[in-house]
Structure formats: structure tokens, C-alpha cells
């Protein structure tokens, strides 16, 4: 082959390669931390994008995966250098910060026009609080999750325990029996030095009436004393402070090293897939234990991802919204029924899914008492507040400090993050939310 | 032929540009960040206020900073000294011919070849309360209770240092070993004729001849160890309760756990000052020696 023909082949292939971007009317980038092989990513790539392209064949959508650990630093970098993708799917606690930073486009008009006010009001209030600011809407939460007790029924029976623990006292009691009779750890949890460590402690804190802004109060200290006691008595391995992530708990659980674990419903779409459940044979879920026997439910934080539009280009934003519209208006049933280990963020869907996926029943019931995290810790200051709590938790679990001292120190540091007025205002706001939910949880 | 200054500058330009863009600019930019109230929101919006030295004050008032500084010093000093001693002894050993030498030399290099992600994850499990090491010691009946290698705030930094020593031995070994091979054989032969013992040869020939290599290894090792991040982040994330933070992990957690970029930058600037002081100090020693 002569040099000339080689040259033309090169030119042609270059043109072809460019063609896809030059000639396609619009190309969108959808960024998420869901690994391309995971369910949610599969849904986006195999259901949502093809559906959009059915009516808009010249719109290209590229799915870009950024690992969770690098997600926020990537978004930050993209925002500063004006290279944000067009659509972003991300963890809910980050949303208020990014709304405040002006990363998300206001989609209120689209939501009201294409989905309607009733649809918006069908979202549980926590999700609405998180994804909106004043009257404006900046993102939609696509699914949620919360924490409960996963237990191995066989182990409990062998230990002579009929029922999983409902209260804190029962948690200690059941764990003790498991340790004495089976020489196993009773309960696995996660207490890493990060947000997930805080997230797993918050149900203990909030259910007992404790607040992130009043960690030096008895309600908060009691909650820390309970978890510390679980570790000190050998009911929970001290290794909870050095797990890689919450998925590590499930490895212990599946290996039979522990009889119960605190974990979220996403595990049903991650480690505890149907075949694994069949192999183990006796995995059950019980509600998160509460401090007082008369409580209907624990008060917990909710997790889950939100989707929002991050492009300022109106043409791209149009198709980006169309993708979100398809997700929420046309494909939501299919998504919840088939494509996710998470539970619905909309009340009417939650009721439907509870019937078709019984493994989610406990989580769906608890969702009515679940709170968004950032508003409970000073919104934009939440990551800082959460870090203080995770530090104190680890210090108490490793007996570096007593629960009381650890939380007194954390409370002091948290108070210093605010101006005195800001602090009082936030404290009162958080207390008001807590009082309302606790009132409902206690059936008052 | 004398080249004109223009051409000299032209040839220097690429490396100068590289140093300016990737070396000087980030440091200067970091300096600007460190005197501003930069959070996630103010960073993206570009609305960070000047706060003067307040970030530095907050950092110097934070017990976690002093803990991290202490940890960094312990971690660096112990790592360097023990890595060099073990690396030197290994180099001495491999300077002799013996069976399976090549194979054993390859084994010594293993820690260096393994990605830190792998060795770090391994040690997180190896050193945990229910990990391999404690189970092994218990099976020998040497311990009743698990030793809290990485779950005790006092012990954790020493455990991490031990892991880092293990990781750093090949680096020290290979530099010192290469250095040793450069020492002329005649010196040892002469010493043999004079009836010198093995240790005398090491003390009076190997060590003095190896001096430049030892100093270079020491300075390089110090800088590389001072900025270790991945190992600690993978094994403990600076925990428990911040007890194993190095300056690097402390700075990272300020930035990406707490979104306090201004304070994080202040820690980095303080780190840079320490490195500059150290390098200045060590090159002064070298100059004096000459």
C-alpha cells in the first residue's frame, strides 16, 4: 500500500471519528458513581438512554463513571474549570452544598409542567427539603435507603433467642446470649472515620432525642454509651473502626462471624443477591432497635442518590430534562421493581413496592421516619459536623476517651463552627424537626 | 563554539515552563488559598473572603495538627533509620555470592512491586483485632487478648510505621546495593592482605565509600516518607479518632471530608516549609563535607 493511500485512510478515519461528535445534533454526558456493571448504571445505559434516543435519534448520551471516593473532588474540579457534565447523579448529603454553590440548574418549571405539583408533593418531605431551596427545585431524589438489622435466624434460634431485638436493652441481651452460647459476635456495624460512620450512629442518636448540635446532652451521650458498651463487652468487634466500607460488614455476616448487622437495603442489590440469600437460607430483616419499647420506629437518616442538571446550555438541558422525565414519568415502576436495591422516594410507589418486594417492607415502613442529614447538622456545615462526630465515636469505641468526654469535646468544636446566633438558630431548627418526628415515632 | 544566550534559553524553556506550571504555580496558588476562607461553596462561586492568617491560627490551635506533626516525625524518622539499617544489612548480604541469590533478591523486592492498594488492604486485615497476626499469636498461646495494633490510639502509628518500613526496605536496599558494587574490589583485597576482619572492612571501607549514596538515599527517603499518604489512608483513614493522621492525611481530610480547603492549604504550606527547611539543612551538611 502506497503512502498516499495510507494518508487518505488516516484522514478518513479521523473524519469518521470526529463525525460522531460533529454531526450528532447534541451529545450529553451523564456522570455517576454507579459502576457500569451495577444495576442503576445498567438501567441508565440500557433503559433510559435508548428510550430517549427512540424519539431523538441524533442525541448521544455518554455514561461516565467516577468512583465514589473521587466523586466530590471531581465535581469540584469540573465546576471550577467549567467542565461539568450535563447530568449528575450523586449522593444526597452533597446536594444542598452544590445547590448553594450554583452547580445545579433550577428545574422547577420542568417538574411542574411535565410531572405536576401532585407528583412533587408525593415525594417524602425529607427528599423535597433536600432537593429544593425556597420555591425552586434543583434535583430529584431517585431512590432512598435506610438502616435496619439484618440477622441470621438460625443463629438466633441456636442461641435461644426467639425474636430479634426490638429495643436497646434487648440488643444488649440478645448479643450477650449470642456471645455466651455461640461464641460469636452479636452485632456488626460500621464506625469508620467518615460520613458512613456518622450515618450508622445517627439512628441511635436521633431515636434517643439527641441532636448533632447538642452532643454534650445526656440523650446523645447515652447513645454513645450504648455503642461503646457493645464493643467493650465484646458483642461487636472493635474492627468496626477499620472496615473498608459498609459492604465489609456483609462479608463478616455472610462468613458467619456475626449473627446480626446494621446495614442498608442496598445490600439486596449488592452482596445479598437472591442466589446468596438462598445459599445462606436464613437471612431476615428487623427494624432498627429503639431506646423505648413503646416507639413505633427509630428515627433514622436516609440515604440514596439524586439526579440533577448541571449544564447551562439550554439545548442540552432540554434533553437532559427529557431523560429525567422519562425516568420519573415513564419508567419508575420498572426501575423500582427490577433495577435497584433501593426503595422509592415517592409515597405512592413505596406502598406499591412494599407488596412486590417483601424484603424491603421494614425499610419502607421506616422511611416515614427518616430525616435528611445536612439540615440536621447546619446544612453547608454538615460535612464538618459529621467529621467531628465520627472522630468522637472512634475515640469512644477505642476507649481513648469516655463517651462523655468525647462528646463534650465534639460539642465544643461543633459550636465553634458557628457564630453564636447561627448556632442558636440552627440548634432550635434541628430540635424542632426532631421533636416533630419523635412525636410521630412515639405515637403522640 | 560558544552558543548564544538565546539558544541556551530556548533549550531551557521546556523545563522552565514545566517547573513554572507544575511546580511553582500550584505552590503559589496554594499560598493564596491558605489565606482565604475557601469552602466547597465559596470555592465554586469564587466568593472566598480573605481571612489573613486565621486559617493558620485555627490549624495551630487544633490538637489534631500537632498530633499529625508528631506522627509524621515519628513515622519518618523511624522508617528512615530502620529501613536504611535493614536495607544496608541486606545489601551487605547480597554483596556475597551464595546459592539462590537471584531468587532471594527478587523476593526482597516484592513489597516494592506490589501496588499500595493491595498491600494496604492486606495489612488492614492482617493487623485488625480479629486479623491474621492476632490469630496467629493466639494460636501460639502468646497472647490472651488481641493486641490492638491499629485500634489503639497509642499503638497505631507504630504499626503503620512498621508496615512502611517493610515497604521501604527494597528502595533502600537497591540504592545501597548498587552503590556497594561501585566500590573497587582492590580496596577489600588490600584490606585482606593487611589482615582486616569483616566488620573492619565494613566500617573502614564500605561505609566511607558509600557515604554519598547513603546521604542521597537518606534525603530521598525522608522526602518520600514525609509525604506518604496512601498507606495510612487505606489502612486507617487517619483513625482511630484521628490518632494516626500524618500531615498529608490530615490535610486531605480537611479538604475532602470537611470541605475546608483554606485550612487544608494552610497545612500543605506548613508542610512545604518543613520540607524546604529540611532540604536546605541537609544540603548544607553535604556542602560542609566537601
Amino acid at each position: 500500500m502506497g503512502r498516499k493511500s495510507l494518508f487518505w485512510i488516516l484522514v478518513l478515519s479521523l473524519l469518521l471519528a470526529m463525525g460522531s461528535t460533529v454531526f450528532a445534533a447534541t451529545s450529553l454526558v451523564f456522570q455517576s458513581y454507579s459502576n457500569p456493571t451495577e444495576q442503576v448504571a445498567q438501567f441508565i445505559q440500557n433503559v433510559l438512554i435508548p428510550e430517549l434516543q427512540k424519539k431523538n435519534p441524533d442525541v448521544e448520551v455518554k455514561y461516565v463513571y467516577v468512583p465514589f471516593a473521587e466523586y466530590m473532588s471531581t465535581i469540584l474540579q469540573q465546576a471550577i474549570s467549567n467542565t461539568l457534565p450535563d447530568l449528575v447523579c450523586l449522593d444526597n448529603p452533597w446536594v444542598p452544598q452544590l445547590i448553594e454553590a450554583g452547580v445545579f440548574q433550577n428545574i422547577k418549571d420542568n417538574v411542574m409542567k411535565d410531572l405536576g405539583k401532585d407528583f412533587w408533593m408525593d415525594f417524602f418531605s425529607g427528599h423535597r427539603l433536600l432537593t429544593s431551596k425556597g420555591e425552586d427545585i434543583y434535583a430529584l431524589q431517585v431512590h432512598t435507603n435506610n438502616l435496619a438489622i439484618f440477622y441470621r435466624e438460625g443463629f438466633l434460634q441456636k442461641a435461644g433467642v426467639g425474636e430479634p431485638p426490638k429495643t436497646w436493652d434487648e440488643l444488649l441481651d440478645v448479643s450477650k446470649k449470642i456471645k455466651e452460647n455461640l461464641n460469636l459476635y452479636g452485632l456488626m456495624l460500621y464506625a469508620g472515620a467518615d460520613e458512613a460512620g456518622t450515618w450508622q450512629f445517627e439512628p441511635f442518636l436521633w431515636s434517643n432525642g439527641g441532636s448533632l448540635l447538642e452532643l454534650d446532652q445526656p440523650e446523645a451521650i447515652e447513645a454513645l454509651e450504648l455503642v461503646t458498651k457493645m464493643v467493650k463487652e465484646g458483642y461487636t468487634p472493635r474492627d468496626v473502626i477499620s472496615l473498608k466500607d459498609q459492604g465489609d460488614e456483609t462479608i463478616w455476616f455472610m462468613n458467619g462471624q456475626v449473627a446480626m448487622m446494621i446495614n442498608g437495603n442496598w445490600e439486596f442489590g449488592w452482596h445479598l443477591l437472591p442466589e446468596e440469600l438462598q445459599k445462606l437460607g436464613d437471612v431476615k430483616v428487623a427494624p432498627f432497635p429503639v431506646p423505648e419499647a413503646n416507639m413505633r420506629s427509630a428515627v433514622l437518616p436516609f440515604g440514596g442518590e439524586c439526579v440533577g442538571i448541571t449544564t447551562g446550555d439550554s439545548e442540552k438541558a432540554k434533553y437532559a430534562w427529557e431523560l429525567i422525565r422519562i425516568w420519573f414519568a415513564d419508567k419508575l415502576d420498572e426501575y423500582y421493581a427490577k433495577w435497584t436495591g433501593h426503595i422509592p422516594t415517592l409515597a405512592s410507589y413505596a406502598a406499591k413496592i412494599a407488596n412486590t418486594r417483601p424484603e424491603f417492607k421494614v425499610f419502607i415502613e421506616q422511611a416515614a421516619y427518616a430525616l435528611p442529614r445536612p439540615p440536621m447538622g447546619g446544612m453547608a456545615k454538615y460535612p464538618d459536623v459529621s467529621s467531628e462526630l465520627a472522630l468522637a465515636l472512634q475515640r469512644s469505641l477505642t476507649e481513648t476517651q469516655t463517651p462523655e468526654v468525647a462528646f463534650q469535646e465534639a460539642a465544643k468544636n461543633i459550636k465553634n463552627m458557628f457564630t453564636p446566633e447561627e448556632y442558636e438558630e440552627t440548634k432550635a431548627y434541628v430540635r424542632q424537626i426532631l421533636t416533630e418526628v419523635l412525636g410521630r415515632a412515639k405515637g403522640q | 563554539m560558544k552558543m548564544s544566550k538565546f539558544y541556551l534559553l530556548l533549550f531551557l524553556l521546556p523545563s522552565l515552563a514545566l517547573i513554572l506550571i507544575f511546580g511553582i504555580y500550584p505552590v503559589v496558588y496554594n499560598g493564596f488559598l491558605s489565606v482565604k476562607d475557601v469552602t466547597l461553596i465559596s470555592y465554586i462561586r469564587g466568593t472566598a473572603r480573605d481571612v489573613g492568617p486565621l486559617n493558620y491560627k485555627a490549624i495551630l490551635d487544633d490538637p489534631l495538627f500537632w498530633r499529625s506533626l508528631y506522627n509524621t516525625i515519628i513515622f519518618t524518622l523511624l522508617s528512615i533509620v530502620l529501613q536504611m539499617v535493614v536495607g544496608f544489612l541486606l545489601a551487605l548480604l547480597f554483596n556475597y555470592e551464595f546459592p539462590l541469590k537471584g531468587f532471594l533478591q527478587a523476593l526482597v523486592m516484592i513489597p516494592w512491586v506490589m501496588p499500595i492498594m493491595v498491600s494496604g488492604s492486606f495489612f488492614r486485615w492482617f493487623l485488625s483485632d480479629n486479623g491474621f497476626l492476632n490469630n496467629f499469636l493466639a494460636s501460639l498461646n502468646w497472647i490472651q487478648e488481641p493486641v490492638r495494633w491499629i485500634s489503639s490510639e497509642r499503638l497505631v502509628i507504630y504499626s503503620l510505621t512498621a508496615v512502611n518500613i517493610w515497604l521501604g526496605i527494597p528502595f533502600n536496599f537497591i540504592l545501597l546495593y548498587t552503590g556497594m558494587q561501585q566500590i573497587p574490589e582492590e580496596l577489600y583485597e588490600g584490606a585482606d592482605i593487611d589482615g582486616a576482619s569483616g566488620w573492619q572492612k565494613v566500617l573502614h571501607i564500605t561505609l566511607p565509600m558509600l557515604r554519598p549514596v547513603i546521604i542521597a538515599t537518606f534525603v530521598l527517603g525522608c522526602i518520600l516518607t514525609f509525604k506518604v499518604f496512601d498507606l495510612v489512608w487505606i489502612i486507617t483513614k487517619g483513625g482511630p479518632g484521628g490518632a494516626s493522621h500524618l500531615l498529608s492525611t490530615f490535610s486531605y481530610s480537611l479538604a475532602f471530608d470537611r470541605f475546608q480547603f483554606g485550612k487544608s492549604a494552610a497545612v500543605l504550606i506548613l508542610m512545604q516549609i518543613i520540607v524546604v527547611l529540611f532540604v536546605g539543612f541537609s544540603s548544607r551538611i553535604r556542602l560542609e563535607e566537601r
Side-chain angles (χ1 to χ4, degrees):
Chain A
M1 194 159 48
R3 266 194 184 179
K4 221 170 189 178
S5 47
L6 197 71
F7 171 78
W8 283 116
I9 289 173
L10 270 176
V11 169
L12 210 70
S13 45
L14 203 73
L15 274 177
L16 275 176
M18 282 167 61
S20 57
T21 47
V22 174
F23 301 124
T26 315
S27 80
L28 299 179
V29 174
F30 192 137
Q31 183 170 294
S32 161
Y33 53 71
S34 181
N35 188 308
T37 57
E38 275 174 33
Q39 283 179 321
V40 178
Q42 288 284 317
F43 169 78
I44 294 166
Q45 295 172 99
N46 298 335
V47 179
L48 274 193
I49 295 175
E51 186 68 25
L52 175 79
Q53 285 169 330
K54 256 191 218 164
K55 282 184 207 143
N56 309 281
D58 43 352
V59 176
E60 289 242 340
V61 188
K62 204 167 123 198
Y63 181 83
V64 174
Y65 160 69
V66 177
F68 186 83
E70 294 158 28
Y71 209 74
M72 273 315 263
S73 53
T74 306
I75 296 234
L76 177 71
Q77 198 186 326
Q78 290 168 331
I80 293 168
S81 58
N82 275 328
T83 52
L84 277 166
D86 305 302
L87 281 133
V88 168
C89 200
L90 81 181
D91 202 11
N92 75 83
W94 296 331
V95 171
Q97 293 245 2
L98 292 177
I99 292 177
E100 198 68 37
V103 166
F104 287 121
Q105 299 296 319
N106 185 357
I107 50 171
K108 185 193 171 200
D109 292 344
N110 303 74
V111 173
M112 290 305 157
K113 188 171 131 264
D114 290 344
L115 300 173
K117 185 151 197 250
D118 289 346
F119 191 93
W120 170 244
M121 294 310 287
D122 197 21
F123 279 99
F124 290 115
S125 60
H127 306 305
R128 272 183 277 134
L129 181 64
L130 195 89
T131 53
S132 62
K133 194 183 161 195
E135 289 293 297
D136 296 327
I137 303 170
Y138 291 90
L140 294 178
Q141 185 155 356
V142 293
H143 55 229
T144 183
N145 53 54
N146 56 60
L147 297 163
I149 300 267
F150 290 70
Y151 65 99
R152 301 278 299 268
E153 202 174 28
F155 284 153
L156 260 56
Q157 279 166 357
K158 264 190 238 160
V161 181
E163 294 272 311
K166 287 194 194 74
T167 62
W168 289 8
D169 288 339
E170 286 177 27
L171 180 65
L172 288 166
D173 192 44
V174 169
S175 302
K176 190 176 174 200
K177 284 188 179 140
I178 291 168
K179 188 189 172 190
E180 282 171 0
N181 298 340
L182 305 177
N183 196 24
L184 275 185
Y185 286 111
L187 180 78
M188 195 68 195
L189 50 91
Y190 180 86
D194 51 25
E195 168 59 21
T198 303
W199 140 267
Q200 285 225 354
F201 181 73
E202 279 163 346
F204 291 110
L205 176 73
W206 292 344
S207 302
N208 202 38
S211 156
L212 287 169
L213 278 94
E214 301 166 71
L215 288 180
D216 52 358
Q217 295 304 304
E219 297 87 0
I221 294 168
E222 278 165 24
L224 186 56
E225 278 167 350
L226 171 76
V227 182
T228 307
K229 191 172 179 187
M230 290 292 291
V231 172
K232 210 171 167 182
E233 297 288 334
Y235 302 156
T236 292
R238 193 172 276 108
D239 294 331
V240 294
I241 59 159
S242 57
L243 296 179
K244 182 164 99 325
D245 52 34
Q246 297 174 84
D248 261 12
E249 292 178 57
T250 313
I251 310 293
W252 282 62
F253 184 71
M254 293 194 303
N255 286 345
Q257 292 166 282
V258 51
M260 304 181 282
M261 68 166 176
I262 295 177
N263 221 326
N265 44 272
W266 64 81
E267 283 298 302
F268 286 123
W270 191 16
H271 293 104
L272 296 172
L273 294 169
E275 55 188 86
E276 199 57 52
L277 287 172
Q278 208 174 3
K279 220 182 332 172
L280 295 170
D282 61 347
V283 176
K284 293 266 166 71
V285 179
F288 202 99
V290 287
E292 294 163 35
N294 61 359
M295 284 177 79
R296 287 179 185 165
S297 165
V299 176
L300 330 86
F302 66 68
E305 278 81 36
C306 299
V307 64
I309 298 175
T310 43
T311 178
D313 180 324
S314 63
E315 182 71 6
K316 286 185 174 192
K318 194 177 90 189
Y319 293 111
W321 167 254
E322 180 58 15
L323 204 71
I324 298 180
R325 192 202 64 76
I326 293 171
W327 196 339
F328 282 88
D330 304 342
K331 296 284 172 190
L332 213 48
D333 273 317
E334 186 188 335
Y335 178 63
Y336 288 134
K338 232 176 91 180
W339 289 99
T340 179
H342 298 270
I343 56 175
T345 40
L346 296 114
S348 59
Y349 284 85
K352 262 193 269 178
I353 294 299
N355 293 327
T356 53
R357 296 186 76 169
E359 72 270 30
F360 291 153
K361 190 169 166 274
V362 166
F363 300 100
I364 289 174
E365 281 166 4
Q366 290 184 153
Y369 304 92
L371 296 174
R373 282 167 278 166
M376 299 301 286
M379 271 302 184
K381 294 209 164 63
Y382 178 77
D384 219 354
V385 171
S386 158
S387 297
E388 267 325 310
L389 173 65
L391 274 182
L393 175 64
Q394 288 209 327
R395 286 182 182 152
S396 178
L397 294 188
T398 54
E399 290 158 55
T400 308
Q401 286 175 334
T402 62
E404 201 172 352
V405 172
F407 264 2
Q408 273 166 357
E409 211 170 276
K412 203 180 81 198
N413 292 342
I414 289 171
K415 205 170 176 178
N416 285 338
M417 294 170 194
F418 299 83
T419 63
E421 303 81 51
E422 245 179 15
Y423 175 76
E424 289 305 325
E425 203 179 302
T426 317
K427 192 175 94 176
Y429 174 72
V430 172
R431 183 48 62 195
Q432 183 199 334
I433 297 181
L434 267 177
T435 310
E436 187 274 323
V437 184
L438 277 165
R440 277 195 291 125
K442 289 179 179 166
Q444 287 159 359
Chain B
M1 191 178 74
K2 204 177 160 200
M3 234 193 266
S4 77
K5 266 201 173 148
F6 173 75
Y7 281 110
L8 278 179
L9 262 178
L10 198 69
F11 287 129
L12 273 177
L13 210 60
S15 37
L16 274 179
L18 210 73
I19 292 173
L20 266 178
I21 297 171
F22 295 107
I24 310 286
Y25 172 70
V27 174
V28 174
Y29 185 67
N30 219 16
F32 279 120
L33 286 188
S34 75
V35 291
K36 281 173 180 280
D37 171 31
V38 192
T39 60
L40 183 83
I41 296 166
S42 65
Y43 204 170
I44 295 177
R45 301 206 88 135
T47 55
R49 289 171 300 128
D50 284 318
V51 290
L54 279 186
N55 284 333
Y56 289 93
K57 191 180 169 301
I59 289 300
L60 295 176
D61 283 345
D62 188 343
L64 265 184
F65 168 76
W66 294 104
R67 180 71 191 239
S68 313
L69 180 65
Y70 169 83
N71 283 345
T72 309
I73 292 171
I74 292 280
F75 184 82
T76 309
L77 278 184
L78 282 181
S79 293
I80 291 299
V81 171
L82 291 170
Q83 278 170 1
M84 283 193 85
V85 170
V86 179
F88 181 75
L89 292 176
L90 278 173
L92 272 184
L93 176 69
F94 281 98
N95 217 12
Y96 291 95
E97 289 302 321
F98 55 88
L100 288 180
K101 184 177 155 180
F103 174 69
L104 289 173
Q105 210 171 324
L107 275 190
V108 173
M109 302 308 293
I110 281 186
W112 210 19
V113 181
M114 238 193 300
I116 301 264
M117 193 65 213
V118 176
S119 41
S121 304
F122 167 76
F123 276 108
R124 190 179 54 228
W125 165 75
F126 183 81
L127 295 170
S128 63
D129 279 23
N130 288 281
F132 177 83
L133 186 56
N134 277 325
N135 284 337
F136 178 69
L137 294 176
S139 71
L140 295 175
N141 270 331
W142 286 7
I143 53 169
Q144 301 305 316
E145 288 285 308
V147 181
R148 291 165 52 179
W149 302 109
I150 52 170
S151 66
S152 140
E153 58 115 18
R154 266 175 300 144
L155 207 53
V156 62
I157 190 63
Y158 298 99
S159 306
L160 291 172
T161 308
V163 174
N164 191 55
I165 291 169
W166 178 79
L167 281 175
I169 286 171
F171 171 76
N172 286 264
F173 162 72
I174 205 82
L175 287 181
L176 296 171
Y177 178 66
T178 322
M180 268 182 204
Q181 309 225 299
Q182 308 299 318
I183 302 174
E185 198 57 34
E186 297 82 46
L187 292 176
Y188 292 107
E189 283 164 10
D192 282 336
I193 293 166
D194 292 339
S197 72
W199 277 117
Q200 280 174 326
K201 282 190 275 182
V202 170
L203 274 180
H204 298 292
I205 300 174
T206 316
L207 276 177
M209 293 296 288
L210 215 53
R211 203 185 182 106
V213 180
I214 290 177
I215 291 177
T217 313
F218 175 77
V219 174
L220 262 178
C222 279
I223 295 171
L224 288 178
T225 314
F226 188 75
K227 66 187 182 77
V228 164
F229 166 80
D230 38 14
L231 179 76
V232 174
W233 196 254
I234 293 166
I235 300 181
T236 65
K237 283 192 195 134
S244 68
H245 266 311
L246 301 179
L247 287 174
S248 57
T249 56
F250 177 55
S251 164
Y252 184 89
S253 82
L254 278 174
F256 293 109
D257 285 343
R258 296 182 183 240
F259 300 137
Q260 298 283 351
F261 298 100
K263 287 181 190 153
S264 169
V267 175
L268 288 178
I269 292 289
L270 292 174
M271 271 179 87
Q272 272 151 2
I273 292 173
I274 295 173
V275 170
V276 167
L277 285 178
F278 171 77
V279 173
F281 182 69
S282 67
S283 51
R284 179 143 207 174
I285 291 178
R286 271 186 290 174
L287 281 179
E288 275 169 13
E289 275 186 353
R290 277 180 204 162

